[in-house]
Amino acid sequence: RSAFLCRHPSGERERLMEFVRSRVLDRLTKFVTVEELARACNMSRSNFAHYFRRTTGISPAGFVRKIRLDEAVRLLGRKNLSVKEVAAQTGFADANHLCKVFRARMQISPGTYRRQ
């Protein structure tokens, strides 16, 4: 890990992650593709994906999924939104897709999470 941190100063890593985070949150209801992120950085999709993984230690698609899921967790805290509404507001295809991704990361369903 220390070798990774030496090769990739935190400033570069943080700038790149903040760039992607802001892009995703600006268009949260629509799925942001790696191709769109690469175009915004004037890179090819492959070059951007390799650069992002090398710099951050995570794939761009994995990071986008994490941002969307973090936002879904935040929205689930609001009792007035259904799981279907949360899925729509965070760019998931439907409530079933959100439930599958949520359960894989949190080991509980969104409904159980909300009740806790």
Side-chain angles (χ1 to χ4, degrees), residues 24-57:
V24 171
L25 291 176
D26 285 347
R27 299 185 48 216
L28 195 58
T29 58
K30 297 182 175 128
F31 188 75
V32 177
T33 65
V34 176
E35 288 83 7
E36 292 173 70
L37 296 170
R39 257 192 315 257
C41 291
N42 294 319
M43 294 182 179
S44 71
R45 181 197 172 286
S46 176
N47 196 14
F48 178 78
H50 288 290
Y51 172 72
F52 191 90
R53 183 182 288 275
R54 203 173 45 247
T55 304
T56 65

PDB file of all heavy atoms in Angstrom, residues 24-57:
ATOM      1  N   VAL A  24     -20.968  12.294 -11.527  1.00  0.00           N
ATOM      2  CA  VAL A  24     -22.021  11.317 -11.237  1.00  0.00           C
ATOM      3  C   VAL A  24     -23.160  11.984 -10.474  1.00  0.00           C
ATOM      4  O   VAL A  24     -24.333  11.800 -10.800  1.00  0.00           O
ATOM      5  CB  VAL A  24     -21.451  10.117 -10.449  1.00  0.00           C
ATOM      6  CG1 VAL A  24     -22.568   9.206  -9.950  1.00  0.00           C
ATOM      7  CG2 VAL A  24     -20.476   9.335 -11.322  1.00  0.00           C
ATOM      8  N   LEU A  25     -22.841  12.773  -9.466  1.00  0.00           N
ATOM      9  CA  LEU A  25     -23.883  13.408  -8.659  1.00  0.00           C
ATOM     10  C   LEU A  25     -24.651  14.463  -9.441  1.00  0.00           C
ATOM     11  O   LEU A  25     -25.841  14.676  -9.191  1.00  0.00           O
ATOM     12  CB  LEU A  25     -23.283  14.012  -7.386  1.00  0.00           C
ATOM     13  CG  LEU A  25     -22.773  12.987  -6.365  1.00  0.00           C
ATOM     14  CD1 LEU A  25     -22.103  13.682  -5.199  1.00  0.00           C
ATOM     15  CD2 LEU A  25     -23.888  12.070  -5.904  1.00  0.00           C
ATOM     16  N   ASP A  26     -24.004  15.121 -10.416  1.00  0.00           N
ATOM     17  CA  ASP A  26     -24.694  16.102 -11.254  1.00  0.00           C
ATOM     18  C   ASP A  26     -25.752  15.439 -12.131  1.00  0.00           C
ATOM     19  O   ASP A  26     -26.737  16.066 -12.488  1.00  0.00           O
ATOM     20  CB  ASP A  26     -23.706  16.864 -12.135  1.00  0.00           C
ATOM     21  CG  ASP A  26     -22.905  17.889 -11.360  1.00  0.00           C
ATOM     22  OD1 ASP A  26     -23.266  18.193 -10.205  1.00  0.00           O
ATOM     23  OD2 ASP A  26     -21.899  18.378 -11.908  1.00  0.00           O
ATOM     24  N   ARG A  27     -25.518  14.195 -12.504  1.00  0.00           N
ATOM     25  CA  ARG A  27     -26.448  13.477 -13.388  1.00  0.00           C
ATOM     26  C   ARG A  27     -26.881  12.177 -12.742  1.00  0.00           C
ATOM     27  O   ARG A  27     -26.857  11.124 -13.364  1.00  0.00           O
ATOM     28  CB  ARG A  27     -25.754  13.206 -14.719  1.00  0.00           C
ATOM     29  CG  ARG A  27     -25.351  14.486 -15.432  1.00  0.00           C
ATOM     30  CD  ARG A  27     -24.772  14.242 -16.787  1.00  0.00           C
ATOM     31  NE  ARG A  27     -25.605  13.327 -17.543  1.00  0.00           N
ATOM     32  CZ  ARG A  27     -25.113  12.417 -18.379  1.00  0.00           C
ATOM     33  NH1 ARG A  27     -23.835  12.317 -18.566  1.00  0.00           N
ATOM     34  NH2 ARG A  27     -25.926  11.616 -19.041  1.00  0.00           N
ATOM     35  N   LEU A  28     -27.273  12.240 -11.498  1.00  0.00           N
ATOM     36  CA  LEU A  28     -27.543  11.040 -10.714  1.00  0.00           C
ATOM     37  C   LEU A  28     -28.676  10.187 -11.269  1.00  0.00           C
ATOM     38  O   LEU A  28     -28.621   8.970 -11.198  1.00  0.00           O
ATOM     39  CB  LEU A  28     -27.836  11.428  -9.263  1.00  0.00           C
ATOM     40  CG  LEU A  28     -27.792  10.310  -8.242  1.00  0.00           C
ATOM     41  CD1 LEU A  28     -26.429   9.625  -8.243  1.00  0.00           C
ATOM     42  CD2 LEU A  28     -28.091  10.840  -6.876  1.00  0.00           C
ATOM     43  N   THR A  29     -29.701  10.798 -11.829  1.00  0.00           N
ATOM     44  CA  THR A  29     -30.825  10.008 -12.319  1.00  0.00           C
ATOM     45  C   THR A  29     -30.501   9.272 -13.614  1.00  0.00           C
ATOM     46  O   THR A  29     -31.213   8.358 -13.999  1.00  0.00           O
ATOM     47  CB  THR A  29     -32.070  10.887 -12.549  1.00  0.00           C
ATOM     48  OG1 THR A  29     -31.750  11.907 -13.483  1.00  0.00           O
ATOM     49  CG2 THR A  29     -32.550  11.489 -11.246  1.00  0.00           C
ATOM     50  N   LYS A  30     -29.426   9.663 -14.278  1.00  0.00           N
ATOM     51  CA  LYS A  30     -28.992   8.992 -15.502  1.00  0.00           C
ATOM     52  C   LYS A  30     -27.704   8.248 -15.215  1.00  0.00           C
ATOM     53  O   LYS A  30     -26.871   8.697 -14.445  1.00  0.00           O
ATOM     54  CB  LYS A  30     -28.762  10.004 -16.618  1.00  0.00           C
ATOM     55  CG  LYS A  30     -30.016  10.725 -17.005  1.00  0.00           C
ATOM     56  CD  LYS A  30     -29.753  11.662 -18.138  1.00  0.00           C
ATOM     57  CE  LYS A  30     -31.065  12.257 -18.570  1.00  0.00           C
ATOM     58  NZ  LYS A  30     -31.065  13.671 -18.623  1.00  0.00           N
ATOM     59  N   PHE A  31     -27.536   7.115 -15.851  1.00  0.00           N
ATOM     60  CA  PHE A  31     -26.328   6.331 -15.639  1.00  0.00           C
ATOM     61  C   PHE A  31     -25.167   6.972 -16.386  1.00  0.00           C
ATOM     62  O   PHE A  31     -25.238   7.186 -17.590  1.00  0.00           O
ATOM     63  CB  PHE A  31     -26.542   4.887 -16.094  1.00  0.00           C
ATOM     64  CG  PHE A  31     -25.403   4.003 -15.731  1.00  0.00           C
ATOM     65  CD1 PHE A  31     -25.236   3.586 -14.423  1.00  0.00           C
ATOM     66  CD2 PHE A  31     -24.483   3.622 -16.677  1.00  0.00           C
ATOM     67  CE1 PHE A  31     -24.174   2.782 -14.069  1.00  0.00           C
ATOM     68  CE2 PHE A  31     -23.417   2.821 -16.340  1.00  0.00           C
ATOM     69  CZ  PHE A  31     -23.265   2.399 -15.030  1.00  0.00           C
ATOM     70  N   VAL A  32     -24.111   7.299 -15.683  1.00  0.00           N
ATOM     71  CA  VAL A  32     -22.910   7.881 -16.280  1.00  0.00           C
ATOM     72  C   VAL A  32     -21.982   6.734 -16.667  1.00  0.00           C
ATOM     73  O   VAL A  32     -21.617   5.919 -15.832  1.00  0.00           O
ATOM     74  CB  VAL A  32     -22.203   8.831 -15.287  1.00  0.00           C
ATOM     75  CG1 VAL A  32     -20.919   9.367 -15.877  1.00  0.00           C
ATOM     76  CG2 VAL A  32     -23.120   9.962 -14.888  1.00  0.00           C
ATOM     77  N   THR A  33     -21.605   6.685 -17.941  1.00  0.00           N
ATOM     78  CA  THR A  33     -20.756   5.599 -18.424  1.00  0.00           C
ATOM     79  C   THR A  33     -19.282   5.976 -18.323  1.00  0.00           C
ATOM     80  O   THR A  33     -18.925   7.156 -18.239  1.00  0.00           O
ATOM     81  CB  THR A  33     -21.071   5.264 -19.891  1.00  0.00           C
ATOM     82  OG1 THR A  33     -20.733   6.389 -20.704  1.00  0.00           O
ATOM     83  CG2 THR A  33     -22.539   4.898 -20.072  1.00  0.00           C
ATOM     84  N   VAL A  34     -18.447   4.967 -18.367  1.00  0.00           N
ATOM     85  CA  VAL A  34     -17.003   5.186 -18.359  1.00  0.00           C
ATOM     86  C   VAL A  34     -16.600   5.941 -19.626  1.00  0.00           C
ATOM     87  O   VAL A  34     -15.710   6.784 -19.592  1.00  0.00           O
ATOM     88  CB  VAL A  34     -16.251   3.838 -18.236  1.00  0.00           C
ATOM     89  CG1 VAL A  34     -14.748   4.036 -18.323  1.00  0.00           C
ATOM     90  CG2 VAL A  34     -16.614   3.142 -16.937  1.00  0.00           C
ATOM     91  N   GLU A  35     -17.287   5.679 -20.727  1.00  0.00           N
ATOM     92  CA  GLU A  35     -17.001   6.389 -21.979  1.00  0.00           C
ATOM     93  C   GLU A  35     -17.208   7.895 -21.814  1.00  0.00           C
ATOM     94  O   GLU A  35     -16.402   8.697 -22.297  1.00  0.00           O
ATOM     95  CB  GLU A  35     -17.889   5.872 -23.124  1.00  0.00           C
ATOM     96  CG  GLU A  35     -17.528   4.501 -23.628  1.00  0.00           C
ATOM     97  CD  GLU A  35     -18.130   3.375 -22.788  1.00  0.00           C
ATOM     98  OE1 GLU A  35     -18.943   3.648 -21.876  1.00  0.00           O
ATOM     99  OE2 GLU A  35     -17.761   2.220 -23.030  1.00  0.00           O
ATOM    100  N   GLU A  36     -18.290   8.285 -21.130  1.00  0.00           N
ATOM    101  CA  GLU A  36     -18.558   9.710 -20.905  1.00  0.00           C
ATOM    102  C   GLU A  36     -17.468  10.340 -20.035  1.00  0.00           C
ATOM    103  O   GLU A  36     -17.025  11.456 -20.316  1.00  0.00           O
ATOM    104  CB  GLU A  36     -19.916   9.901 -20.224  1.00  0.00           C
ATOM    105  CG  GLU A  36     -21.093   9.541 -21.088  1.00  0.00           C
ATOM    106  CD  GLU A  36     -22.383   9.598 -20.304  1.00  0.00           C
ATOM    107  OE1 GLU A  36     -22.805  10.720 -19.961  1.00  0.00           O
ATOM    108  OE2 GLU A  36     -22.953   8.528 -20.029  1.00  0.00           O
ATOM    109  N   LEU A  37     -17.058   9.639 -19.011  1.00  0.00           N
ATOM    110  CA  LEU A  37     -15.999  10.149 -18.138  1.00  0.00           C
ATOM    111  C   LEU A  37     -14.685  10.276 -18.900  1.00  0.00           C
ATOM    112  O   LEU A  37     -13.965  11.266 -18.749  1.00  0.00           O
ATOM    113  CB  LEU A  37     -15.828   9.233 -16.921  1.00  0.00           C
ATOM    114  CG  LEU A  37     -17.028   9.145 -15.986  1.00  0.00           C
ATOM    115  CD1 LEU A  37     -16.820   8.028 -14.967  1.00  0.00           C
ATOM    116  CD2 LEU A  37     -17.279  10.472 -15.300  1.00  0.00           C
ATOM    117  N   ALA A  38     -14.396   9.292 -19.741  1.00  0.00           N
ATOM    118  CA  ALA A  38     -13.169   9.312 -20.535  1.00  0.00           C
ATOM    119  C   ALA A  38     -13.175  10.486 -21.518  1.00  0.00           C
ATOM    120  O   ALA A  38     -12.178  11.196 -21.661  1.00  0.00           O
ATOM    121  CB  ALA A  38     -13.008   7.993 -21.291  1.00  0.00           C
ATOM    122  N   ARG A  39     -14.323  10.701 -22.160  1.00  0.00           N
ATOM    123  CA  ARG A  39     -14.433  11.832 -23.092  1.00  0.00           C
ATOM    124  C   ARG A  39     -14.197  13.154 -22.382  1.00  0.00           C
ATOM    125  O   ARG A  39     -13.539  14.048 -22.912  1.00  0.00           O
ATOM    126  CB  ARG A  39     -15.810  11.837 -23.739  1.00  0.00           C
ATOM    127  CG  ARG A  39     -15.827  11.317 -25.151  1.00  0.00           C
ATOM    128  CD  ARG A  39     -17.147  11.620 -25.825  1.00  0.00           C
ATOM    129  NE  ARG A  39     -18.277  11.314 -24.957  1.00  0.00           N
ATOM    130  CZ  ARG A  39     -19.051  10.245 -25.064  1.00  0.00           C
ATOM    131  NH1 ARG A  39     -18.860   9.400 -26.030  1.00  0.00           N
ATOM    132  NH2 ARG A  39     -20.037  10.030 -24.230  1.00  0.00           N
ATOM    133  N   ALA A  40     -14.732  13.290 -21.189  1.00  0.00           N
ATOM    134  CA  ALA A  40     -14.569  14.526 -20.417  1.00  0.00           C
ATOM    135  C   ALA A  40     -13.101  14.768 -20.058  1.00  0.00           C
ATOM    136  O   ALA A  40     -12.693  15.910 -19.863  1.00  0.00           O
ATOM    137  CB  ALA A  40     -15.415  14.477 -19.154  1.00  0.00           C
ATOM    138  N   CYS A  41     -12.316  13.702 -20.007  1.00  0.00           N
ATOM    139  CA  CYS A  41     -10.879  13.817 -19.711  1.00  0.00           C
ATOM    140  C   CYS A  41     -10.018  13.758 -20.973  1.00  0.00           C
ATOM    141  O   CYS A  41      -8.792  13.690 -20.886  1.00  0.00           O
ATOM    142  CB  CYS A  41     -10.458  12.694 -18.770  1.00  0.00           C
ATOM    143  SG  CYS A  41     -11.129  12.847 -17.124  1.00  0.00           S
ATOM    144  N   ASN A  42     -10.669  13.760 -22.138  1.00  0.00           N
ATOM    145  CA  ASN A  42      -9.965  13.662 -23.419  1.00  0.00           C
ATOM    146  C   ASN A  42      -9.083  12.421 -23.497  1.00  0.00           C
ATOM    147  O   ASN A  42      -7.926  12.481 -23.901  1.00  0.00           O
ATOM    148  CB  ASN A  42      -9.126  14.923 -23.682  1.00  0.00           C
ATOM    149  CG  ASN A  42      -9.988  16.136 -23.861  1.00  0.00           C
ATOM    150  OD1 ASN A  42     -11.034  16.075 -24.502  1.00  0.00           O
ATOM    151  ND2 ASN A  42      -9.570  17.239 -23.265  1.00  0.00           N
ATOM    152  N   MET A  43      -9.647  11.294 -23.084  1.00  0.00           N
ATOM    153  CA  MET A  43      -8.947  10.012 -23.130  1.00  0.00           C
ATOM    154  C   MET A  43      -9.843   8.977 -23.796  1.00  0.00           C
ATOM    155  O   MET A  43     -11.054   9.155 -23.853  1.00  0.00           O
ATOM    156  CB  MET A  43      -8.628   9.505 -21.715  1.00  0.00           C
ATOM    157  CG  MET A  43      -7.666  10.315 -20.931  1.00  0.00           C
ATOM    158  SD  MET A  43      -7.415   9.470 -19.339  1.00  0.00           S
ATOM    159  CE  MET A  43      -6.231  10.550 -18.592  1.00  0.00           C
ATOM    160  N   SER A  44      -9.224   7.906 -24.227  1.00  0.00           N
ATOM    161  CA  SER A  44     -10.026   6.778 -24.694  1.00  0.00           C
ATOM    162  C   SER A  44     -10.584   6.068 -23.471  1.00  0.00           C
ATOM    163  O   SER A  44     -10.086   6.227 -22.352  1.00  0.00           O
ATOM    164  CB  SER A  44      -9.161   5.807 -25.498  1.00  0.00           C
ATOM    165  OG  SER A  44      -8.261   5.124 -24.643  1.00  0.00           O
ATOM    166  N   ARG A  45     -11.607   5.260 -23.676  1.00  0.00           N
ATOM    167  CA  ARG A  45     -12.225   4.540 -22.568  1.00  0.00           C
ATOM    168  C   ARG A  45     -11.205   3.646 -21.876  1.00  0.00           C
ATOM    169  O   ARG A  45     -11.105   3.631 -20.651  1.00  0.00           O
ATOM    170  CB  ARG A  45     -13.394   3.706 -23.093  1.00  0.00           C
ATOM    171  CG  ARG A  45     -14.101   2.938 -22.004  1.00  0.00           C
ATOM    172  CD  ARG A  45     -14.975   1.807 -22.585  1.00  0.00           C
ATOM    173  NE  ARG A  45     -15.503   0.976 -21.555  1.00  0.00           N
ATOM    174  CZ  ARG A  45     -14.816   0.085 -20.870  1.00  0.00           C
ATOM    175  NH1 ARG A  45     -13.547  -0.088 -21.101  1.00  0.00           N
ATOM    176  NH2 ARG A  45     -15.383  -0.646 -19.941  1.00  0.00           N
ATOM    177  N   SER A  46     -10.445   2.916 -22.661  1.00  0.00           N
ATOM    178  CA  SER A  46      -9.458   1.994 -22.107  1.00  0.00           C
ATOM    179  C   SER A  46      -8.363   2.735 -21.342  1.00  0.00           C
ATOM    180  O   SER A  46      -8.001   2.344 -20.226  1.00  0.00           O
ATOM    181  CB  SER A  46      -8.838   1.171 -23.243  1.00  0.00           C
ATOM    182  OG  SER A  46      -7.833   0.338 -22.745  1.00  0.00           O
ATOM    183  N   ASN A  47      -7.865   3.799 -21.934  1.00  0.00           N
ATOM    184  CA  ASN A  47      -6.803   4.580 -21.297  1.00  0.00           C
ATOM    185  C   ASN A  47      -7.299   5.170 -19.974  1.00  0.00           C
ATOM    186  O   ASN A  47      -6.605   5.124 -18.958  1.00  0.00           O
ATOM    187  CB  ASN A  47      -6.333   5.680 -22.247  1.00  0.00           C
ATOM    188  CG  ASN A  47      -5.016   6.271 -21.842  1.00  0.00           C
ATOM    189  OD1 ASN A  47      -4.309   5.719 -21.021  1.00  0.00           O
ATOM    190  ND2 ASN A  47      -4.683   7.408 -22.422  1.00  0.00           N
ATOM    191  N   PHE A  48      -8.523   5.710 -19.978  1.00  0.00           N
ATOM    192  CA  PHE A  48      -9.086   6.284 -18.758  1.00  0.00           C
ATOM    193  C   PHE A  48      -9.276   5.215 -17.689  1.00  0.00           C
ATOM    194  O   PHE A  48      -8.956   5.433 -16.519  1.00  0.00           O
ATOM    195  CB  PHE A  48     -10.424   6.970 -19.051  1.00  0.00           C
ATOM    196  CG  PHE A  48     -11.077   7.527 -17.822  1.00  0.00           C
ATOM    197  CD1 PHE A  48     -10.646   8.718 -17.270  1.00  0.00           C
ATOM    198  CD2 PHE A  48     -12.114   6.850 -17.200  1.00  0.00           C
ATOM    199  CE1 PHE A  48     -11.234   9.231 -16.118  1.00  0.00           C
ATOM    200  CE2 PHE A  48     -12.710   7.350 -16.054  1.00  0.00           C
ATOM    201  CZ  PHE A  48     -12.266   8.547 -15.513  1.00  0.00           C
ATOM    202  N   ALA A  49      -9.806   4.057 -18.077  1.00  0.00           N
ATOM    203  CA  ALA A  49     -10.048   2.980 -17.107  1.00  0.00           C
ATOM    204  C   ALA A  49      -8.742   2.529 -16.459  1.00  0.00           C
ATOM    205  O   ALA A  49      -8.675   2.346 -15.239  1.00  0.00           O
ATOM    206  CB  ALA A  49     -10.741   1.807 -17.788  1.00  0.00           C
ATOM    207  N   HIS A  50      -7.700   2.360 -17.258  1.00  0.00           N
ATOM    208  CA  HIS A  50      -6.397   1.967 -16.715  1.00  0.00           C
ATOM    209  C   HIS A  50      -5.822   3.062 -15.815  1.00  0.00           C
ATOM    210  O   HIS A  50      -5.308   2.776 -14.734  1.00  0.00           O
ATOM    211  CB  HIS A  50      -5.407   1.638 -17.835  1.00  0.00           C
ATOM    212  CG  HIS A  50      -5.711   0.359 -18.528  1.00  0.00           C
ATOM    213  ND1 HIS A  50      -5.553  -0.877 -17.938  1.00  0.00           N
ATOM    214  CD2 HIS A  50      -6.184   0.114 -19.774  1.00  0.00           C
ATOM    215  CE1 HIS A  50      -5.909  -1.819 -18.781  1.00  0.00           C
ATOM    216  NE2 HIS A  50      -6.297  -1.243 -19.905  1.00  0.00           N
ATOM    217  N   TYR A  51      -5.912   4.307 -16.271  1.00  0.00           N
ATOM    218  CA  TYR A  51      -5.407   5.432 -15.485  1.00  0.00           C
ATOM    219  C   TYR A  51      -6.152   5.543 -14.160  1.00  0.00           C
ATOM    220  O   TYR A  51      -5.538   5.713 -13.104  1.00  0.00           O
ATOM    221  CB  TYR A  51      -5.543   6.731 -16.290  1.00  0.00           C
ATOM    222  CG  TYR A  51      -5.238   7.974 -15.506  1.00  0.00           C
ATOM    223  CD1 TYR A  51      -3.929   8.282 -15.147  1.00  0.00           C
ATOM    224  CD2 TYR A  51      -6.243   8.841 -15.120  1.00  0.00           C
ATOM    225  CE1 TYR A  51      -3.638   9.424 -14.418  1.00  0.00           C
ATOM    226  CE2 TYR A  51      -5.973   9.985 -14.388  1.00  0.00           C
ATOM    227  CZ  TYR A  51      -4.659  10.273 -14.049  1.00  0.00           C
ATOM    228  OH  TYR A  51      -4.384  11.396 -13.318  1.00  0.00           O
ATOM    229  N   PHE A  52      -7.473   5.428 -14.192  1.00  0.00           N
ATOM    230  CA  PHE A  52      -8.281   5.553 -12.976  1.00  0.00           C
ATOM    231  C   PHE A  52      -7.930   4.444 -11.986  1.00  0.00           C
ATOM    232  O   PHE A  52      -7.718   4.702 -10.803  1.00  0.00           O
ATOM    233  CB  PHE A  52      -9.766   5.513 -13.323  1.00  0.00           C
ATOM    234  CG  PHE A  52     -10.651   5.897 -12.168  1.00  0.00           C
ATOM    235  CD1 PHE A  52     -11.009   7.216 -11.974  1.00  0.00           C
ATOM    236  CD2 PHE A  52     -11.105   4.946 -11.266  1.00  0.00           C
ATOM    237  CE1 PHE A  52     -11.809   7.591 -10.897  1.00  0.00           C
ATOM    238  CE2 PHE A  52     -11.901   5.302 -10.197  1.00  0.00           C
ATOM    239  CZ  PHE A  52     -12.259   6.631 -10.012  1.00  0.00           C
ATOM    240  N   ARG A  53      -7.858   3.215 -12.464  1.00  0.00           N
ATOM    241  CA  ARG A  53      -7.540   2.092 -11.577  1.00  0.00           C
ATOM    242  C   ARG A  53      -6.125   2.225 -11.017  1.00  0.00           C
ATOM    243  O   ARG A  53      -5.894   1.961  -9.830  1.00  0.00           O
ATOM    244  CB  ARG A  53      -7.689   0.764 -12.293  1.00  0.00           C
ATOM    245  CG  ARG A  53      -7.436  -0.427 -11.340  1.00  0.00           C
ATOM    246  CD  ARG A  53      -7.538  -1.760 -12.039  1.00  0.00           C
ATOM    247  NE  ARG A  53      -8.877  -2.129 -12.401  1.00  0.00           N
ATOM    248  CZ  ARG A  53      -9.738  -2.743 -11.591  1.00  0.00           C
ATOM    249  NH1 ARG A  53      -9.397  -3.018 -10.361  1.00  0.00           N
ATOM    250  NH2 ARG A  53     -10.933  -3.069 -12.022  1.00  0.00           N
ATOM    251  N   ARG A  54      -5.196   2.626 -11.854  1.00  0.00           N
ATOM    252  CA  ARG A  54      -3.807   2.796 -11.418  1.00  0.00           C
ATOM    253  C   ARG A  54      -3.698   3.893 -10.353  1.00  0.00           C
ATOM    254  O   ARG A  54      -2.964   3.771  -9.384  1.00  0.00           O
ATOM    255  CB  ARG A  54      -2.946   3.145 -12.633  1.00  0.00           C
ATOM    256  CG  ARG A  54      -1.503   2.847 -12.514  1.00  0.00           C
ATOM    257  CD  ARG A  54      -0.728   3.051 -13.823  1.00  0.00           C
ATOM    258  NE  ARG A  54      -1.057   4.286 -14.523  1.00  0.00           N
ATOM    259  CZ  ARG A  54      -1.677   4.348 -15.703  1.00  0.00           C
ATOM    260  NH1 ARG A  54      -2.032   3.246 -16.330  1.00  0.00           N
ATOM    261  NH2 ARG A  54      -1.939   5.503 -16.269  1.00  0.00           N
ATOM    262  N   THR A  55      -4.484   4.958 -10.513  1.00  0.00           N
ATOM    263  CA  THR A  55      -4.403   6.111  -9.621  1.00  0.00           C
ATOM    264  C   THR A  55      -5.188   5.915  -8.332  1.00  0.00           C
ATOM    265  O   THR A  55      -4.750   6.347  -7.271  1.00  0.00           O
ATOM    266  CB  THR A  55      -4.918   7.372 -10.353  1.00  0.00           C
ATOM    267  OG1 THR A  55      -4.167   7.527 -11.553  1.00  0.00           O
ATOM    268  CG2 THR A  55      -4.748   8.606  -9.510  1.00  0.00           C
ATOM    269  N   THR A  56      -6.345   5.255  -8.415  1.00  0.00           N
ATOM    270  CA  THR A  56      -7.224   5.152  -7.251  1.00  0.00           C
ATOM    271  C   THR A  56      -7.261   3.771  -6.614  1.00  0.00           C
ATOM    272  O   THR A  56      -7.697   3.635  -5.476  1.00  0.00           O
ATOM    273  CB  THR A  56      -8.667   5.537  -7.621  1.00  0.00           C
ATOM    274  OG1 THR A  56      -9.174   4.576  -8.555  1.00  0.00           O
ATOM    275  CG2 THR A  56      -8.743   6.938  -8.199  1.00  0.00           C
ATOM    276  N   GLY A  57      -6.894   2.747  -7.368  1.00  0.00           N
ATOM    277  CA  GLY A  57      -6.957   1.390  -6.850  1.00  0.00           C
ATOM    278  C   GLY A  57      -8.320   0.733  -7.010  1.00  0.00           C
ATOM    279  O   GLY A  57      -8.549  -0.363  -6.502  1.00  0.00           O
TER     280      GLY A  57
END
